[in-house]
Amino acid sequence: MKFWVGLLVCFACFGSIFGQTTAPKYSNDFLKIGVGAAAAGMGNAQVAFAKDATAGYWNPAALMHSTKAPQVALMHSEYFAGIAKYDYGAFATRIQGNRHFAASFIRIGIDDIPNTLNLRDGNSFNYDRITSFSVADMALLVSYAQDLEFLEGLSVGGNVKIINRITGKFATAWGFGIDLALHYQREKLKLGLVLNDVTTTFNAWSFNTETFEEAFRVTGNAIPQNSIELTLPSARMGAAYSFFPEKKINLTAAADLDWYFDGKRNSIISLGAATIDPKIGLETTYKNLVFLRAGAMNFQRVPDIDGKKRLNLFPTLGAGLQFKGVRIDYALANIGDFKQNLFSHLFSLQFIIDKSLY
């Protein structure tokens, strides 16, 4: 208990220091969306619960509790009627005894955007001069984990992140960051802690102004300059508890707290410079073959038409099926309110490369 209280005090101090730094809010926030339909079905409450190849994203230290055989995880989803596409792939395996390695790739982007900067040809319009470009945020995560021998069940891990963000041929950014993580498992209880961007992640933006400078001047737009974008440190802590791990039917409850120090966000918990975003999830399994999941995230207080604020949340549901090293997961998420009937459908695949399963 003293350990977790100490962490809370450290986070509060952490936020008071970095909260003074000038940095854009939501920088590199595409890395906060989440990966895997299994996680989405549980409201993304995964910091302590993750136990497969996706742990490289959620908590690299939890890779120690994944299978010893190599794993591959794949996911594709689309947003805004297919306009934005989100892709994820990961590979995880054990290396040299009690060590694990993983590599993950994330891309979210919009392709085939019309470029009309050269549409005007003198005093007329030439539609043959319309081209297209893509806008994308991409990241490569290289993960490592190992056990700490002085305490059974405790493992440590980390990520090295390489970030590339592009806006067609107009601008590009390269970034580098580091995450550190802990995971502890004892009997039915799991605890997790991840410190994201511990050294502050730097994105160096470079603008190819010659591709748009003339059009910007004619239209009165400011011409951007090469710059550095900072992503301030954040933290995620979570717990998971399995009620019947040795039974045919098992129930696991998980809860996460995501801590942000880049300014006030629309969340139900705010502690000065720190904003806390809670997530909760449940998973029921039958013989580790069939999975049913539910969760909630994005807890916010939203004003009604009369100005009074009400609690709003993002509910999630999910299911999964595993057979001979292949797992298919599905998640259904309601956006904002059940009465709006707005749902997102998400599928993902996982493969365990173990010949003994076939």
Side-chain angles (χ1 to χ4, degrees):
M1 184 65 181
K2 292 182 180 179
F3 172 73
W4 291 106
V5 172
L7 283 177
L8 290 174
V9 174
C10 289
F11 289 165
C13 296
F14 200 48
S16 64
I17 295 173
F18 285 97
Q20 308 297 324
T21 305
T22 301
K25 192 183 295 186
Y26 311 117
S27 173
N28 287 334
D29 240 30
F30 75 99
L31 291 175
K32 303 292 195 298
I33 295 175
V35 300
M42 294 181 64
N44 284 345
Q46 294 289 301
V47 175
F49 182 77
K51 53 186 176 182
D52 50 33
T54 63
Y57 170 90
W58 293 110
N59 183 345
L63 286 168
M64 292 304 303
H65 303 289
S66 63
T67 178
K68 297 178 181 179
Q71 296 182 43
V72 174
L74 301 171
M75 184 196 76
H76 173 78
S77 62
E78 299 185 0
Y79 299 88
F80 312 115
I83 295 176
K85 295 176 174 57
Y86 183 32
D87 295 290
Y88 161 79
F91 172 79
T93 188
R94 184 179 68 168
I95 55 173
Q96 297 182 346
N98 68 335
R99 298 175 175 86
H100 276 67
F101 164 85
S104 311
F105 179 76
I106 297 171
R107 180 189 187 272
I108 181 168
I110 301 176
D111 301 307
D112 298 322
I113 302 172
N115 175 13
T116 60
L117 288 177
N118 299 315
L119 174 61
R120 192 179 183 88
D121 187 4
N123 295 321
S124 63
F125 293 96
N126 185 351
Y127 291 94
D128 292 333
R129 301 181 66 177
I130 297 178
T131 58
S132 62
F133 66 97
S134 297
V135 174
D137 292 338
M138 297 170 284
L140 174 66
L141 280 65
V142 179
S143 309
Y144 173 83
Q146 73 171 54
D147 287 328
L148 295 179
E149 297 181 355
F150 66 85
L151 181 60
E152 183 179 357
L154 181 63
S155 58
V156 62
N159 287 329
V160 173
K161 300 185 292 190
I162 301 174
I163 299 167
N164 181 214
R165 302 172 65 184
I166 61 171
T167 305
K169 60 182 179 180
F170 310 112
T172 186
W174 286 96
F176 177 82
I178 295 175
D179 303 330
L180 298 178
L182 291 172
H183 190 271
Y184 177 69
Q185 180 173 343
R186 181 173 182 178
E187 298 178 350
K188 300 178 180 181
L189 178 66
K190 296 179 181 179
L191 301 173
L193 170 66
V194 181
L195 302 177
N196 297 111
D197 307 299
V198 290
T199 58
T200 302
T201 295
F202 297 81
N203 286 352
W205 279 97
S206 176
F207 296 92
N208 188 11
T209 56
E210 65 182 24
T211 62
F212 57 82
E213 185 173 0
E214 181 179 354
F216 271 39
R217 283 177 177 168
V218 171
T219 56
N221 286 284
I223 299 175
Q225 303 295 320
N226 295 346
S227 60
I228 300 295
E229 177 185 328
L230 304 180
T231 303
L232 297 182
S234 61
R236 294 183 293 183
M237 58 192 305
Y241 189 85
S242 296
F243 292 90
F244 318 108
E246 306 299 329
K247 304 295 183 179
K248 292 182 179 180
I249 298 178
N250 183 29
L251 174 65
T252 301
D256 286 2
L257 294 176
D258 293 356
W259 294 66
Y260 299 101
F261 308 106
D262 55 3
K264 186 175 178 59
R265 296 189 176 208
N266 187 12
S267 183
I268 60 172
I269 305 175
S270 180
L271 299 176
T275 300
I276 305 173
D277 184 18
K279 298 177 174 67
I280 57 174
L282 292 171
E283 180 185 76
T284 301
T285 66
Y286 175 70
K287 292 185 176 180
N288 206 34
L289 297 175
V290 180
F291 306 83
L292 295 176
R293 307 180 181 99
M297 57 189 294
N298 289 354
F299 291 86
Q300 299 177 345
R301 295 196 179 276
V302 179
D304 284 326
I305 191 171
D306 58 358
K308 294 182 179 180
K309 290 187 176 182
R310 62 180 177 85
L311 179 64
N312 198 31
L313 55 85
F314 192 120
T316 62
L317 293 173
L321 182 64
Q322 180 169 278
F323 181 71
K324 288 190 174 181
V326 178
R327 196 178 83 193
I328 302 175
D329 293 306
Y330 165 76
L332 174 67
N334 177 262
I335 301 175
D337 195 311
F338 279 110
K339 292 181 286 187
Q340 295 179 2
N341 294 320
L342 298 177
F343 293 90
S344 296
H345 302 274
L346 180 63
F347 291 89
S348 63
L349 289 172
Q350 286 201 11
F351 305 91
I352 301 176
I353 308 172
D354 186 350
K355 294 182 180 180
S356 66
L357 297 173
Y358 299 90

